[in-house]
Amino acid sequence: MAEKGVGTDSQEGADAEAAARGGRPRNPSLDDAIIQATRRRLVVDGYSRMTLGDIASDAGVTRPTLYRRWPGKFELVVDALDFGFRAQRATYPNLELAKLRPFEAFTEAIRRVDPCYFNPDAMILMGNFMGEAFRTPELLEIVREHAVEPRVDLVERVLDDLQSRGEVREDIDTHTLATICFGSYYAAFLRGDSDREDLAEKVAATLWPGIAVVQT
């Protein structure tokens, strides 16, 4: 069965030769199509319901082409998640938060904790992964390690830096405060707030008076 609109016979031959040597062939156009199809299926179907057959069909490739790249669904999803993590980091503006004014640094850190900063479907994805906590806990752990903790840690580091500069009160629990900032996006989503563009500014403006050191 020929692939539907992606790749050529010569590419299939190259893939087969590479597979015969024991390596996983890499073709950026095929890889990208499969990764994007996987990410979409994760949103629409969730991990348990999505199938490699559906992903192959969506990507316009054969199942053998997919299997030559990934041994199974879990490994493919891990790569699809890694793509999203790297893409989100690449979208952050090139700002040195330590050089911003205190309130601006705090606001920008909150903005970067937004799960939907890069992917507008991120909340649905996160909900699907939380639903897999019993069936496939490894997935939630990957999300926690690569998507949750780095974001919350960023807010915490900014607050720790502001404390060291005498801009934020020493008695503030920066870990809890960073967690609150992260949770504000989930609360807004669950409440059905459709416009979350200025949520970072609103959260920062609400919290700042209670944590900032009053300069005399």
Side-chain angles (χ1 to χ4, degrees), residues 65-143:
T65 295
L66 191 153
Y67 277 113
R68 281 194 290 269
R69 285 159 169 77
W70 292 275
K73 183 167 69 171
F74 181 82
E75 292 79 8
L76 173 55
V77 168
V78 168
D79 275 3
L81 290 175
D82 181 66
F83 171 89
F85 302 149
R86 289 184 287 107
Q88 171 140 344
R89 288 194 296 268
T91 62
Y92 291 148
N94 188 21
L95 298 173
E96 294 187 52
L97 299 187
K99 294 184 178 180
L100 297 178
R101 289 184 297 178
F103 180 74
E104 292 176 346
F106 182 48
T107 303
E108 180 62 24
I110 296 174
R111 184 175 294 111
R112 296 186 184 198
V113 88
D114 181 3
C116 296
Y117 193 104
F118 165 72
N119 179 9
D121 294 324
M123 285 295 187
I124 299 172
L125 275 172
M126 295 290 253
N128 286 341
F129 289 132
M130 284 188 278
E132 292 293 330
F134 289 109
R135 291 183 293 268
T136 318
E138 305 95 320
L139 279 178
L140 186 57
E141 182 57 36
I142 290 171
V143 172

Side-chain angles (χ1 to χ4, degrees), residues 6-210:
V6 180
T8 64
D9 290 341
S10 61
Q11 178 60 49
E12 285 290 321
D15 283 357
E17 181 181 351
R21 293 196 303 268
R24 188 173 71 178
R26 310 305 302 181
N27 179 309
S29 63
L30 294 183
D31 286 359
D32 184 65
I34 295 168
I35 289 293
Q36 295 297 344
T38 301
R39 291 176 62 80
R40 184 59 187 162
R41 281 288 172 177
L42 282 170
V43 172
V44 175
D45 295 337
Y47 179 79
S48 292
R49 290 181 56 200
M50 64 183 276
T51 68
L52 292 179
D54 287 337
I55 293 169
S57 177
D58 292 349
V61 302
T62 61
R63 288 179 63 130
T65 295
L66 191 153
Y67 277 113
R68 281 194 290 269
R69 285 159 169 77
W70 292 275
K73 183 167 69 171
F74 181 82
E75 292 79 8
L76 173 55
V77 168
V78 168
D79 275 3
L81 290 175
D82 181 66
F83 171 89
F85 302 149
R86 289 184 287 107
Q88 171 140 344
R89 288 194 296 268
T91 62
Y92 291 148
N94 188 21
L95 298 173
E96 294 187 52
L97 299 187
K99 294 184 178 180
L100 297 178
R101 289 184 297 178
F103 180 74
E104 292 176 346
F106 182 48
T107 303
E108 180 62 24
I110 296 174
R111 184 175 294 111
R112 296 186 184 198
V113 88
D114 181 3
C116 296
Y117 193 104
F118 165 72
N119 179 9
D121 294 324
M123 285 295 187
I124 299 172
L125 275 172
M126 295 290 253
N128 286 341
F129 289 132
M130 284 188 278
E132 292 293 330
F134 289 109
R135 291 183 293 268
T136 318
E138 305 95 320
L139 279 178
L140 186 57
E141 182 57 36
I142 290 171
V143 172
R144 183 180 296 118
E145 178 182 354
H146 295 281
V148 175
E149 288 302 329
R151 291 169 178 160
V152 180
D153 286 348
L154 171 64
V155 181
E156 193 170 349
R157 289 197 308 272
V158 167
L159 289 168
D160 289 341
D161 178 64
L162 292 176
Q163 281 184 330
S164 70
R165 291 158 54 183
E167 303 287 354
V168 166
R169 288 167 35 198
E170 286 289 341
D171 61 332
I172 293 299
D173 180 349
T174 58
H175 179 80
T176 298
L177 186 57
T179 303
I180 290 171
C181 293
F182 184 60
S184 66
Y185 288 96
Y186 286 86
F189 176 82
L190 291 172
R191 292 189 66 184
D193 293 347
S194 58
D195 184 9
R196 299 190 295 273
E197 288 294 322
D198 60 349
L199 184 59
E201 286 80 4
K202 290 179 178 178
V203 172
T206 300
L207 296 175
W208 188 251

